[in-house]
Amino acid sequence: MPHILLAEDDAAVRSFVTSALAHRGHEVTAVEDGLQALEALGESREFDLLITDIVMPGLDGIGLALRVARDSPDLPILLMTGYSAEKQRAHNLDELIARVVVKPFTLKEICEAAEEALLG
């Protein structure tokens, strides 16, 4: 069962995505921001995918993606955003990330994007 790390500051979105992925058989560790995601990654847990919102307090998703790409280059990264300007910022990271999923998205869309990223 793939283990996914989800970093999302909005509790409703975090719950929605966690439930959707768990329903598809994935194990999900959900955290509120990029700093908590780094803590989870540092606790020697093995993750198969990082899904992160771009706009978060503390360490945003772009900063998190850059750190993860440097420290764990084999970990696929999926970004989420509801802001078109942020999507453009993420476009500059094409080589580091699997995809950018634009909010609002459906359960099916986020699950398919995650499963695509897991397959490489």
Side-chain angles (χ1 to χ4, degrees), residues 2-115:
H3 191 179
I4 298 172
L5 176 58
L6 171 66
E8 168 60 64
D9 61 319
D10 182 301
V13 175
R14 191 170 57 248
S15 176
F16 173 80
V17 174
T18 298
S19 296
L21 293 169
H23 183 71
R24 290 271 187 117
H26 302 293
E27 181 181 351
V28 181
T29 297
V31 297
E32 296 180 17
D33 60 37
L35 296 173
Q36 289 181 1
L38 286 180
E39 285 179 31
L41 288 163
E43 292 172 356
S44 302
R45 294 190 214 167
E46 291 295 321
F47 293 101
D48 300 296
L49 174 64
L50 168 64
I51 301 176
T52 181
D53 189 19
I54 293 178
V55 178
M56 296 184 294
L59 179 62
D60 72 4
I62 300 289
L64 176 60
L66 291 171
R67 299 264 303 262
V68 169
R70 181 192 69 205
D71 299 341
S72 304
D74 295 331
L75 181 62
I77 303 167
L78 183 65
L79 298 176
M80 305 179 292
T81 188
Y83 302 96
S84 58
E86 296 305 321
K87 185 175 184 213
Q88 184 57 41
R89 271 181 66 208
H91 179 70
N92 297 329
L93 303 176
D94 281 344
E95 293 182 20
L96 304 178
I97 60 169
R99 184 169 160 194
V100 178
V101 180
V102 179
K103 297 175 186 175
F105 46 74
T106 66
L107 291 171
K108 182 179 178 185
E109 289 169 335
I110 192 66
C111 289
E112 287 178 354
E115 288 162 2

